[in-house]
Amino acid sequence: MTSLRIDHILSKTRGDRWIWIIVIMLSVISMMAVYSSIGTLAYTRGVGAESILVKHMFMIVGGIALMYISHKLDYRYYAGISKLLMVITIPLLVYTLFFGSHINGASRWVAIPGTGLSFQTSDLAKLALITYLARLLSRKQENIKDVKQSFVPIMGSVCLVFALIGPANLSTGLMLFGVSILLLIMGRISVKQIAVVCAAGAVLLAGMLTFGGRKGTHSSRMETFLHPERADPDKVFQSNHAKIAIASGGLFGKGPGRSTERNYLPEAFSDEIFAIIVEEYGVFGGLFVMGIYIFLLYRCIRIVTKAPKAFGALLAAGLSFSLTIQAFANMAVAVGLGPVTGVPLPLVSMGGTSILFTSVAFGIILSVSRHIDENTEAAGKKVVVGEIMEVAA
């Protein structure tokens, strides 16, 4: 009976089945790791860990529902939706920069009226910019070298979003800028024009680091990363305990729920969740999680190479690059290969609305994959019908 229900559910989903499996695996890992790491958070809030886990599970279920809806929509509709997203995103980013909620000295969040929830506008900006760039690049292929018609609007959208995200969320802004450059390369933008975009980005970055409201935070984090021996103990507290968690995990880990560093690590359930995973499941557990994201990138690249239209290929490429780059940035910070940032591990960290936006990105990738499968099935049916007609003749 159970197998029949699973088959019925799978029959309603299309697209790359491996990506569906990856999402389910990451969701299960997320629930286990989050439940293990929210003890301190629950104590601080004066609630049970189970209540926080239930809310997290609701977000995961909601994310899977959004992913299902997104994958049912023909990916070509996202070209039109991207314009609306940009119209919504730019004012929201401006509002967030000046009037957003301040946490840890950064204005990144906007409250959703009547829900008690808040979200990072940079999560919406990632979806908006990547879909919009894919639309521009695919529609302007015939005159892609034209500076006025093609290059100026493309460069303007990239630099504008970067300039609005960077002051409060530099790490996310830099990752999104890097993904945009990869899309420009795939979209056949000339090397000279890409160099101009990079130069403009460098000027914006220099301005943020020199005059931005968080310039002290950025320089302090970089100085702490490069010279931890000279840093204030409070500033290396998070990175040191992440390293302790990873080192104490060994090859096979301490076992589920047996982490000790979860009681010391700030944001153990979010930014540093990879360190908790390695502490409890060992190096092999960490490599397994890393392998999932590498396999995700591989499956997405297969979708990109099979996509019949430029828009679908660029859309799948941009979203997959964004997800995997974010994942490896999070893991790099946990193991000490990068300065501390506020980047969560996609679909694993407890992140509220960020899970929903990530799920929509997965859904769009699956929509492109679904279109490829449907075209392949249609082509196969035509071949079969043709062979039948030949035999009948």
Side-chain angles (χ1 to χ4, degrees):
M1 194 70 178
T2 304
S3 62
L4 290 176
R5 289 177 181 174
I6 294 174
D7 290 339
H8 177 71
I9 293 172
L10 289 176
S11 67
K12 298 294 184 180
T13 61
R14 303 299 298 272
D16 192 309
R17 292 296 173 86
W18 281 109
I19 294 182
W20 284 102
I21 293 172
I22 287 170
V23 169
I24 293 171
M25 292 174 66
L26 289 176
S27 298
V28 172
I29 292 170
S30 176
M31 287 186 286
M32 294 173 64
V34 166
Y35 184 56
S36 178
S37 58
I38 56 177
T40 302
L41 177 66
Y43 177 79
T44 303
R45 293 183 179 179
V47 298
E50 291 76 12
S51 65
I52 298 177
L53 178 65
V54 169
K55 291 181 181 179
H56 180 63
M57 290 174 65
F58 273 122
M59 280 295 178
I60 290 176
V61 172
I64 293 175
L66 282 177
M67 184 173 66
Y68 178 80
I69 295 170
S70 301
H71 107 286
K72 295 293 285 185
L73 183 65
D74 192 313
Y75 80 90
R76 289 169 290 190
Y77 286 110
Y78 290 107
I81 293 173
S82 68
K83 294 187 293 183
L84 177 62
L85 286 178
M86 286 296 287
V87 170
I88 295 172
T89 296
I90 299 303
L92 270 177
L93 288 174
V94 174
Y95 176 84
T96 304
L97 191 59
F98 293 101
F99 307 107
S101 302
H102 287 260
I103 300 177
N104 296 329
S107 177
R108 303 179 181 179
W109 288 264
V110 170
I112 303 175
T115 64
L117 298 175
S118 61
F119 73 100
Q120 289 194 49
T121 46
S122 58
D123 290 328
L124 176 61
K126 284 187 284 188
L127 278 177
L129 181 60
I130 290 171
T131 53
Y132 187 68
L133 274 183
R135 175 183 178 274
L136 284 180
L137 290 168
S138 61
R139 294 197 173 189
K140 296 182 179 295
Q141 282 300 300
E142 293 183 0
N143 55 353
I144 197 67
K145 306 298 181 183
D146 189 292
V147 174
K148 184 177 180 180
Q149 293 187 20
S150 300
F151 178 64
V152 171
I154 290 170
M155 176 182 173
S157 59
V158 173
C159 292
L160 177 60
V161 172
F162 178 56
L164 292 175
I165 292 178
N169 197 347
L170 184 59
S171 55
T172 299
L174 286 173
M175 284 188 288
L176 185 55
F177 188 83
V179 171
S180 300
I181 295 300
L182 290 174
L183 281 179
L184 297 187
I185 294 172
M186 292 183 63
R188 299 193 306 114
I189 297 292
S190 69
V191 175
K192 291 182 180 179
Q193 291 176 340
I194 291 175
V196 172
V197 177
C198 292
V203 171
L204 290 172
L205 177 61
M208 293 174 200
L209 295 177
T210 305
F211 304 106
R214 302 192 74 212
K215 60 181 180 179
T217 301
H218 300 319
S219 59
S220 175
R221 286 182 176 179
M222 187 57 67
E223 179 68 22
T224 300
F225 171 66
L226 295 175
H227 304 287
E229 70 283 354
R230 301 204 302 254
D232 187 312
D234 291 337
K235 293 182 178 179
V236 294
F237 182 86
Q238 182 171 335
S239 58
N240 283 346
H241 278 276
K243 293 174 185 176
I244 292 171
I246 291 171
S248 60
L251 288 177
F252 303 103
K254 298 178 178 178
R258 295 185 176 180
S259 167
T260 54
E261 291 304 313
R262 62 186 175 181
N263 299 317
Y264 304 99
L265 264 174
E267 306 295 328
F269 49 85
S270 180
D271 300 347
E272 297 292 346
I273 199 165
F274 184 70
I276 301 301
I277 290 173
V278 176
E279 183 182 9
E280 294 190 347
Y281 300 96
V283 173
F284 288 118
L287 290 175
F288 179 73
V289 173
M290 187 184 300
I292 291 176
Y293 288 106
I294 293 174
F295 187 59
L296 168 65
L297 181 61
Y298 165 72
R299 298 305 303 181
C300 290
I301 289 174
R302 282 176 58 89
I303 294 172
V304 171
T305 56
K306 292 181 178 181
K309 302 291 184 180
F311 176 66
L314 291 168
L315 191 59
L319 293 173
S320 61
F321 288 152
S322 175
L323 290 170
T324 51
I325 289 173
Q326 179 179 327
F328 283 103
N330 175 278
M331 290 184 279
V333 170
V335 300
L337 294 179
V340 174
T341 63
V343 178
L345 192 59
L347 278 191
V348 176
S349 296
M350 190 181 80
T353 53
S354 67
I355 292 177
L356 304 182
F357 286 109
T358 301
S359 299
V360 171
F362 272 103
I364 296 173
I365 295 171
L366 285 167
S367 177
V368 179
S369 176
R370 181 175 68 88
H371 184 78
I372 295 170
D373 291 345
E374 290 174 352
N375 284 349
T376 302
E377 290 175 5
K381 289 178 180 178
K382 287 181 180 179
V383 171
V384 171
V385 171
E387 290 177 350
I388 293 173
M389 294 297 290
E390 289 179 5
V391 171

